[in-house]
């Protein structure tokens, strides 16, 4: 109980409700996967799957007709596709952050949320991955972005941020998947040993790779896990930095800003935690996991969200400041145009969602009510999408030559494909919670009093 | 608990994990070779023609010069395909009964062109100019192969971009004396010394800019 | 190839004691190694460093493997770009130098991470001898609890001074829930 | 009325039971152009039609049979398989056929284009051209450098005429009452009809103004043979007032010619002489030759423009005054008074007139007053008077024998014809070209009159409104298909020779007319040779060959004459000026800058070509001044009802800076009911409000309506969407503060020749971390644009479109901002929007040495060549559109859909074989006409020499009437472009971004009159320092 007493003194809720043993934890979590499918799951999955059809139809029509079915034009060459791409990628970041960075920072409260946060990362990246592909004028030639020896003797242009994207995003997807799977192995063993049905034993058995929990296994395993965390941390930072380069390397007023990398990364974590909360609050309700995903988690995540939110707000502030301080008339106009131009509504709405709404977290009352936190998170989800809209569209619509100004608005196909990816995301998520342990079982065991009672070096407390 | 898997699965599992790497490599190699194969380039594949015209016979046996039929090769981008009348010039006198030449006579009689199948067919977005290559001493055979030894013409080279680039980057390996351009059989005694000399003399400076061929 | 047989005449792989608390396991490990046994298998539902120390631990080689992977990724990634842009098809792109090494750093960084991560995962598999879906330990029905809340110690017949009776006696003396034969 | 069935037609081949004309009209009534055509295409499927096709034009048989169809299917297959083919790494092209000639024509060498001198006629006047022909297919029009009306340049109409040739909606067969007939049937019909009327036929011949000696001769013959026949000339945009004015001023028809190159002061009284009228191209050249400011050469002319509608011409004026017709008259009167030494009277106009008068006085014999052909007759008479009084006659103005064979006041002539027709006095109406049923003044109700005619015959390129009312419709030969002779604005006889067999068996007006002569049918070639054999006399053959080669007959310009001015006429004119309406709202009718009088309505290139000032495409809204809009609460795209003495028309509104508050403007040529798939239904039909009494300006009632009508402009997309910034000229202010247009007055220029470099943000280009690229070896291509001599005539825009196979995207896509033009002419208003200064800035790819677009392309589809070209490789492009985003000049164009029409065979024939046709999903942009560069480079290298200066001319440069665009090699100090770039006032656009553009601009240098009185809100009247 040594860990908990200071918390208790500070009136913090515990990381895991008292009275649990490795056995009970194991049974409670594996039960979610191994018992019969609840009816509501079918409903939820069905709906998300239906939603996903919008994506299929949208993309099919897109490939048939061309990107002209979208609102994109000259000068606004990028629209929803890139907005959604950045939005989804950003969301993904929280997962890696929780599982990697918090691990290195020995935040043991990460334990009960890192598993599905990582899953969320994977699915978000999957959704994001759709867009760079389909937004091409000739998507069937997308493979030309990969460096491979071809009969034309040609290679990609490695100076282009889009190529950096290809490397960054594909690496991110791969490493996240590896990290996630490695984390799953011991739990796969648990499920292998718990499940009654033979086919389940075989499937989980294969996934477990014959994990036996041998002391030597555990040793190498922990080293590997720590190293992966160490690698994932700079990776996750690099990914959104690279994404921000898509804009920062361009020279459009509103894109060409050195503040972008840090402020994109912060924004990503901001958006990510918002999404984790958006998922965690209903899930803990649905599966009665209040004992494992406690108010402690909700509050901590809310606080991280608030902090990163403030960093993002600082980013906005600096943008405004630099616009005038730099004395660059294009920057100045860009900003005035955001404030009072054709897209002023988006800009003000963005401030409301991303700067104003999160301030509610300061209030203990809000912090300690899951559903209020959930509400704030929803605001942030919308706000971060708007942020990307403002960056992409408002900047492009009015840049250097007034003769070439234009306007942009998404068509029904833009929306169909966007909504469709949300469907894809949810479908994957529901499949995940049904077939895999949404909380890392073996890590939960390590934070139980029983485990702590064994004298061991402190740093293993979290690992 | 009872064993789920048989002993052998250990080996199987390890092998699959390891083999995956090789599978990917092999797949890539297959794709690459297929892309360069005669299947996709039609290299060395004889095309069906309405009239089985033999360059072998006309060039070697009869000693007709390329330019007798491909008249524009020295002045134009397009070397030119002979009109029916060119064939008839001779064939009104010789072989004027042969069934083989029936389509030619028909073409003249009905004033309908002969529809040959194109052998060297670059994509529409590639602009090739015969005249400049001839002017800089690139022999016919360099790209078209020993047409004089082809009873039926096939495409000697792959005509893929990497193939074009090879010569545009190392002209000295291929250029010959202007007077030998139409000599199919000509071989440089010593290309290593001749090539660079000619490149200097003819001011051969082949460009690898995209707009050289694509516009 | 085992020299011993189980009661019902199968080949014996080792003897396995089941404990109901980590402390007992740790104590058992220490006792077993003091008794001179080296081929010990200690199985726990979650990592317990004390156990690893008790059965003669050594440092993992994994970090070196990962380092190698990382270096390979960095070099490979950068050289690919350098070669492609400077030698394979040198192109004037926006008046930038052929060797725009600053730009090349970004993909090179990503390849570094990618290779290092693969090295970490595959290296871990290699060091742990995974995948290994079949293992004699699974022959003990109770062993399923190793992934829940029970702690197991196994002394295998590979051990030089393995003597069924002696081992059984030793294990029985360590306060196990029960001791089982592990058939090969 | 009896339906016009000739006795002989019953026996005509393939004749079936004849429908009544009424029935046909019923069947076709209300059917849109395409439906109308479908009915004919159905007919075209009949075997007798097939037979006729073979008989009449075998060269097309292939086209009509399976061939064309299979080709279309093939292409459709291809476009589909692209996706799948692309998916697999190895795309395998289908086998291609190669089809040589059976007997190769001498002059044709496959792959090498041939150039023929020919001439294009519009309203009787010809422009000399060189037509480029690939394997017998005309693909591009250039100006004829030897020709007085061209000087090597052309206007946009000539450029677009190629598209008309291949227009799939052209009249493809002879039809009678909508049924397919053959020429033979028609010939027999005519012969029979003539035979049936021994006393002579009450024949009426309606033509546009005729200058053609051959045609005029034929008409004379017909009139001689047919005592009851008569000839009427009408064109909606003819210079009727000019003819009338000359008749009053000089008592006879006179051709007035100007010499702008010698004029130091030019005053325009509502004259759009730079872009309208038969002499526009050479006039623009002369005028702009006096607007080129160079170091040490600042002898610019000064130009005052008084306009009822803002025009391209007015937009380049040093001082521009917006005036209603009444105010125009007042100004003219005041000017005349002031020049006479009298008092111009009070008011601002008088004040201005006094200033102008003083300026003119100061430049006696070196000034020039030009009145527009549509200005009131009195104003034009006054203009004649002024030139006389100022001693300009003989210097900058000269009078000549009329060019037209028989100058007529077309309106009067048409009115007489309409009267005869309604009175049933006409047996046969022969309409040779023109479309009176559409463009005749409303009060004549020409269509109704036509129904009273026994037989109407219409010769035209398209089946139009008039065809609908005609019994016989004859396919006309396009000028690239016909033998003709027409005279240029100066009278030079220009020869039109065919480059291609008539695609649809069309015939020329002369050829049709021969059917009405005793001599019977003759071919255009015969007629032409007959005419000229007479005139050229001995040695005809050699002489004739030379004329054909040159494209015109030398020394045929109409001789000068002395035209004494009738003083009485002047007095009368002043009296008339006083009568002009002083107050009240008026509606001005003007020829449209791109579709002219509607004859080009079905030409996609011209429909999509942005109007010089409004930048609108595909429409002709009512132009209203910002003040009027505010007063009446009008917004862009709002619908209004216009009522001119009882007749009303619903149209959309466009707020047009520089429009006089008292005048609306509506251009002709729109609201076509029968024009084809492109033109039908676009815009509003101004002719429904036009009357013989008020053909150019009429008092009007304006009634705002609730509805909206979307308009597509290539600029101000944002302002159209919602009326934000309405009236605040945000664009103009930003443009000024960003120093996009840099300008000075002559004085300022002389004081500080490098003034453009003292505004805006410079950039020290040495401040780069990266080593730069060296272009000093070989060629370094660059381009210079002189902002002072660009008047936004759009010739370059269309020329570029023709040269580079640029697709037409249609109104909706333009509205979305997806137009494809590689060169656009940016228009900026400076100062208050009610009377702003106007600036034009042609923007094409800048070929930046440090191109922002190239760096961001992931697949290296756009890269730099060693000669500094920014190459765009379509076949490598995957379509990320990142390059377009990152291009600060926004010159990149993306194929959001498959815009290029590859399904229509006739359009395939039109394409330039030297330029790749772009498919869906690829980026494209100005390439400095790289195909021309490559060809010149290859030619030079074959001869082991450098490319010479002037050997390569970009399409836009070649067509420009004022030589505002110059392309060449920057490494050659002696090249024209290098010298221009050495000028002190050469500056680059947005150079502070470090892009190092290869395209740069010569700053504007204006020559305002210091005496010009500023007015309270008078921003923009005189150019301000950028």
């Amino acid at each position: 109980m040594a860990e908990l007493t200071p918390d208790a003194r500070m009136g913090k809720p515990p990381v895991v409700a008292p009275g649990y043993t490795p056995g009970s934890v194991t049974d409670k979590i594996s039960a979610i996967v191994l018992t019969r499918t609840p009816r509501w799951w079918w409903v939820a999955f069905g709906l998300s799957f239906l939603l996903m059809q919008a994506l299929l139809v949208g993309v099919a029509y897109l490939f048939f007709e061309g990107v002209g079915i979208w609102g994109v034009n000259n000068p606004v060459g990028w629209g929803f596709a890139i907005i959604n791409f950045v939005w989804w990628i950003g969301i993904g970041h929280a997962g890696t952050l929780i599982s990697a960075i918090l691990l290195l920072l020995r935040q043991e409260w990460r334990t009960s949320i890192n598993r599905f946060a990582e899953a969320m990362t994977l699915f978000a990246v999957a959704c994001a991955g759709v867009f760079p592909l389909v937004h091409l004028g000739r998507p069937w030639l997308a493979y030309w972005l990969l460096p491979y020896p071809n009969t034309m003797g040609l290679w990609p242009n490695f100076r282009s941020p889009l190529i950096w994207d290809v490397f960054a995003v594909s690496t991110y997807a791969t490493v996240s998947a590896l990290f996630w799977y490695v984390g799953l192995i011991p739990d796969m063993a648990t499920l292998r040993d718990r499940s009654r049905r033979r086919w389940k034993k075989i499937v989980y058995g294969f996934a477990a790779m014959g994990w036996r929990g041998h002391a030597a296994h555990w040793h190498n395993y922990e080293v590997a896990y720590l190293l992966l965390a160490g690698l994932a941390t700079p990776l996750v930072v690099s990914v959104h930095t690279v994404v921000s380069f898509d804009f920062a390397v361009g020279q459009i007023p509103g894109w060409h800003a050195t503040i972008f990398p840090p402020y994109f990364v912060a924004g990503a974590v901001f958006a990510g935690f918002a999404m984790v909360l958006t998922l965690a609050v209903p899930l803990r309700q649905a599966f009665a996991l209040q004992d494992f995903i406690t108010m402690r988690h909700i509050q901590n995540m809310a606080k991280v969200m608030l902090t990163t939110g403030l960093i993002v707000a600082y980013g906005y502030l600096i943008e405004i400041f630099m616009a005038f301080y730099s004395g660059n008339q294009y920057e100045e106009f860009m900003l005035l145009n955001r404030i009072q131009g054709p897209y002023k509504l988006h800009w003000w709405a963005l401030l409301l969602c991303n700067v104003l709404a999160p301030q509610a977290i300061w209030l203990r009352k809000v912090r300690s009510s899951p559903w209020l936190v959930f509400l704030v998170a929803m605001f942030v989800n919308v706000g971060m999408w708007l942020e990307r809209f403002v960056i992409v569209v408002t900047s492009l619509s009015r840049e250097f030559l007034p003769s070439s100004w234009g306007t942009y608005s998404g068509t029904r196909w833009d929306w169909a494909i966007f909504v469709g990816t949300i469907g894809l995301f949810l479908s994957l998520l529901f499949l995940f919670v049904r077939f895999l342990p949404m909380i890392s079982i073996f890590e939960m065991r390590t934070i139980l009093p029983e485990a702590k009672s064994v004298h061991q070096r402190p740093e293993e407390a979290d690992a | 608990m009872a064993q789920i898997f048989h002993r052998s699965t250990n080996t199987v599992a390890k092998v699959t994990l390891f083999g995956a790497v090789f599978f990917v490599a092999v797949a890539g190699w297959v794709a690459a070779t297929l892309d360069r194969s005669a299947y996709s380039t039609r290299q060395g594949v004889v095309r069906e023609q309405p009239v089985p015209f033999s360059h072998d016979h006309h060039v070697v046996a009869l000693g007709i010069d390329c330019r007798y039929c491909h008249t524009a090769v020295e002045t134009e981008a397009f070397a030119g395909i002979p009109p029916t009348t060119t064939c008839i010039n001779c064939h009104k006198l010789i072989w004027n009964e042969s069934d083989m030449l029936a389509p030619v006579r028909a073409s003249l009689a009905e004033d309908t062109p002969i529809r040959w199948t194109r052998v060297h067919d670059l994509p529409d977005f590639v602009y090739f100019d015969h005249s400049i290559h001839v002017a800089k001493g690139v022999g016919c055979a360099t790209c078209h192969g020993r047409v004089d030894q082809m009873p039926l013409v096939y495409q000697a080279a792959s005509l893929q971009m990497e193939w074009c680039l090879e010569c545009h980057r190392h002209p000295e390996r291929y250029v010959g004396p202007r007077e030998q351009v139409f000599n199919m059989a000509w071989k440089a005694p010593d290309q290593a010394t001749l090539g660079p000399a000619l490149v200097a003399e003819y001011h051969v400076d082949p460009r690898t800019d995209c707009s050289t061929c694509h516009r | 190839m085992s020299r011993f047989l189980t009661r019902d005449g199968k080949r014996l792989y080792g003897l396995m004691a089941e404990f109901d608390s980590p402390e007992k396991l740790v104590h058992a490990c220490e006792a077993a190694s003091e008794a001179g046994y080296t081929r010990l298998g200690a199985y726990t539902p979650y990592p317990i460093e004390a156990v690893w120390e008790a059965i003669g631990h050594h440092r993992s080689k994994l970090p070196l493997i990962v380092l190698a992977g990382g270096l390979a990724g960095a070099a490979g990634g950068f050289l690919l770009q350098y070669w492609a842009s400077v030698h394979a098809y040198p192109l004037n792109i926006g008046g930038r130098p052929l060797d725009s090494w600053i730009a090349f750093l970004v993909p090179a960084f990503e390849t570094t991470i990618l290779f290092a991560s693969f090295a970490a995962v595959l290296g871990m598999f290699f060091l742990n001898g995974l995948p290994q879906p079949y293992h004699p330990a699974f022959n003990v029905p109770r062993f399923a609890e190793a992934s829940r809340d029970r702690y197991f110690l196994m002394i295998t017949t590979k051990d030089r001074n393995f003597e069924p009776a002696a081992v059984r006696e030793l294990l029985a003396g360590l306060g196990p829930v029960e001791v089982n034969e592990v058939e090969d | 009325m009896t339906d016009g069935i000739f006795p002989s037609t019953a026996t005509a081949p393939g004749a079936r039971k004849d429908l009544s004309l009424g029935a046909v009209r019923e069947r076709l009534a209300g059917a849109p152009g395409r439906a109308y055509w479908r009915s004919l295409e159905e007919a075209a499927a009949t075997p007798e039609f097939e037979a006729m096709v073979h008989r009449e034009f075998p060269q097309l048989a292939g086209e009509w049979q399976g061939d064309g169809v299979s080709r279309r299917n093939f292409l459709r297959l291809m476009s589909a398989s692209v996706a799948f083919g692309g998916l697999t790494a190895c795309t395998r092209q289908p086998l291609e056929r190669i089809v040589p000639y059976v007997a190769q024509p001498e002059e044709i060498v496959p792959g090498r284009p041939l150039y023929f001198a020919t001439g294009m006629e519009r309203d009787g006047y010809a422009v000399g051209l060189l037509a480029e022909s690939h394997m017998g297919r005309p693909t591009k029009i250039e100006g004829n450098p030897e020709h007085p009306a061209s000087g090597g340049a052309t206007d946009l109409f000539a450029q677009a005429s190629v598209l008309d040739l291949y227009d799939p909606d052209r009249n493809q067969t002879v039809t009678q009452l909508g049924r397919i007939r053959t020429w033979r049937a028609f010939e027999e019909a005519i012969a029979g009809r003539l035979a049936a009327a021994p006393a002579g036929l009450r024949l009426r011949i309606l033509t546009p103004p005729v200058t053609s000696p051959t045609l005029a001769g034929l008409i004379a013959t017909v009139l001689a043979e047919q005592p009851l026949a008569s000839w009427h000339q009408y064109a909606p945009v003819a210079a009727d007032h000019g003819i009338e004015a000359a008749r009053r001023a000089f008592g006879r028809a006179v051709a007035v010619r100007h010499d702008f190159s010698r004029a130091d002061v030019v005053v325009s009284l509502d004259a759009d002489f730079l872009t309208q009228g038969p002499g526009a191209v050479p006039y623009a050249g002369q005028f702009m030759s006096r607007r080129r400011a160079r170091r040490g050469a600042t002898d610019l002319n000064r130009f005052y423009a008084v306009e009822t509608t803002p025009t391209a011409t007015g937009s380049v004026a040093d001082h521009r005054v917006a005036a209603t017709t009444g105010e125009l008259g007042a100004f003219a009167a005041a000017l005349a008074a002031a020049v006479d030494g009298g008092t111009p009277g009070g008011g601002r106009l008088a004040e201005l007139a006094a200033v102008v008068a003083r300026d003119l006085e100061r430049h006696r014999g070196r000034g020039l007053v030009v009145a527009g052909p549509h200005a009131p007759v009195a104003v034009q008479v006054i203009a004649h008077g002024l030139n006389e009084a100022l001693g300009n006659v003989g210097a900058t103005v000269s009078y000549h024998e009329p060019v037209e064979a028989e100058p007529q006041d077309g309106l009067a002539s048409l009115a007489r014809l309409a009267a005869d027709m309604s009175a049933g006095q006409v047996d046969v109406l022969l309409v040779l070209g023109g479309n009176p049923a559409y463009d005749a003044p409303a009060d004549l109700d020409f269509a109704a009159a036509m129904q009273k005619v026994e037989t109407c015959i219409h010769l035209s390129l398209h089946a139009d409104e008039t065809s609908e009312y005609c019994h016989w419709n004859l396919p006309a030969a396009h000028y690239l298909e016909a033998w003709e002779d027409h005279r240029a604005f100066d009278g030079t006889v220009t020869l039109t020779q065919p480059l291609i067999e008539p695609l649809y068996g069309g015939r020329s007006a002369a050829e049709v007319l021969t059917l009405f002569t005793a001599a019977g049918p003759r071919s255009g070639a015969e007629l032409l040779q007959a005419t000229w054999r007479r005139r050229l006399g001995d040695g005809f053959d050699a002489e004739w060959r030379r004329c054909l080669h040159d494209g015109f007959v030398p020394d045929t310009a109409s001789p000068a004459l002395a035209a004494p001015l009738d003083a009485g006429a002047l007095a009368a004119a002043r009296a008339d000026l006083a009568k002009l309406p002083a107050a009240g709202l008026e509606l001005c009718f003007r020829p449209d800058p791109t579709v002219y009088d509607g004859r080009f309505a079905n030409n996609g290139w011209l429909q999509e070509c942005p109007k010089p000032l409004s930048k609108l495409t595909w429409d002709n809204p009512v132009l209203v001044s910002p003040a009027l809009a505010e007063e009446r609460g009008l917004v862009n795209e709002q619908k209004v009802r216009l009522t001119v003495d009882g007749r009303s028309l619903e149209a959309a509104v466009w707020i047009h800076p520089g429009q006089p508050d008292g005048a609306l403007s509506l251009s002709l040529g729109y609201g076509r009911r029968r024009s084809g798939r492109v033109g039908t239904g676009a815009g509003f039909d101004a002719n429904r409000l036009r009357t013989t009494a008020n053909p150019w300006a009429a008092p009007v009632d304006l009634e705002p309506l609730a509805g909206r009508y979307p308009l597509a402009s290539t600029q101000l997309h944002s302002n159209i969407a919602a009326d934000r910034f309405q009236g605040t000229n945000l664009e103009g202010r930003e443009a000024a503060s960003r120093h996009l247009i840099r300008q000075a007055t002559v004085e300022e220029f002389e004081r500080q020749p490098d003034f453009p470099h003292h505004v805006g943000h410079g950039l020290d280009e040495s401040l780069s971390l990266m080593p730069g690229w060296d272009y000093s070896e070989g060629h370094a291509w660059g381009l210079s644009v002189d902002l002072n001599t660009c008047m936004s005539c759009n010739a370059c825009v269309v020329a570029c479109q023709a040269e580079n196979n640029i697709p037409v995207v249609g109104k909706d896509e333009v509205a979305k901002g997806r137009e494809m033009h590689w060169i656009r002419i940016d228009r900026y208003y400076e100062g208050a929007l009610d009377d702003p200064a106007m600036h034009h800035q042609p923007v094409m790819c800048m070929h930046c040495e440090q191109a922002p677009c190239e760096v961001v392309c992931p697949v290296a589809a756009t890269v730099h060549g060693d000669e500094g070209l920014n190459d765009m490789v379509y076949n490598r492009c995957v379509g990320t559109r990142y390059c377009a985003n990152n291009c600060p000049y926004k010159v990149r164009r993306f194929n959001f859909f498959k815009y290029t029409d590859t399904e229509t065979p006739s359009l395939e024939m039109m394409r330039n074989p030297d330029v790749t046709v772009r498919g869906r999903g690829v980026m494209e942009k100005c390439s400095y006409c790289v195909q021309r560069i490559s060809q010149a480079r290859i030619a030079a290298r074959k001869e082991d020499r450098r490319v010479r200066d002037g050997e390569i001319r970009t399409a836009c440069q070649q067509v420009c009437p004022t030589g505002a665009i110059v392309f060449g090699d920057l490494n050659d100090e002696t090249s024209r472009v290098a010298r221009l770039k050495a000028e002190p006032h050469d500056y680059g656009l947005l150079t502070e971004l470090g892009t190092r553009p290869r395209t740069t601009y010569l700053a504007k240098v204006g020559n305002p009159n210091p005496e010009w009185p500023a007015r309270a809100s008078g921003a923009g009247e005189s150019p301000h320092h950028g």
Side-chain angles (χ1 to χ4, degrees), chain D residues 803-881:
Chain D
E803 170 74 14
N804 294 302
N805 299 330
I806 297 173
V808 173
V809 298
K811 180 180 173 181
D812 296 353
E813 290 293 292
V814 173
K816 287 196 187 98
R818 295 173 176 177
E819 64 274 6
M820 296 298 284
H821 299 130
W822 283 6
I823 178 173
R824 63 169 198 269
I825 304 176
D826 290 347
R827 183 266 301 116
Y828 295 112
Y829 293 121
E830 177 189 349
L833 278 181
D834 53 357
D835 187 6
M838 303 170 192
H839 305 293
H840 307 295
Q841 184 168 44
V843 180
M844 64 289 280
C845 177
M846 300 279 151
H847 292 267
C848 313
E849 286 186 4
Q850 295 189 347
C853 52
E854 294 174 5
V855 185
V856 296
C857 174
V859 293
T862 180
V863 301
H864 238 63
D866 57 7
E867 293 170 345
L869 289 183
N870 173 251
D871 297 335
M872 179 68 223
V873 192
Y874 314 119
N875 44 298
R876 176 66 175 173
C877 178
V878 297
T880 67
R881 306 185 294 291

Side-chain angles (χ1 to χ4, degrees), chain B residues 6-29:
Chain B
H6 185 265
R7 267 177 219 281
S8 56
T9 42
N10 287 353
T11 343
V12 176
K14 289 191 172 71
V15 169
T16 4
L17 198 63
F18 194 57
V21 183
F22 284 94
F23 177 79
V24 172
V26 169
W29 177 81

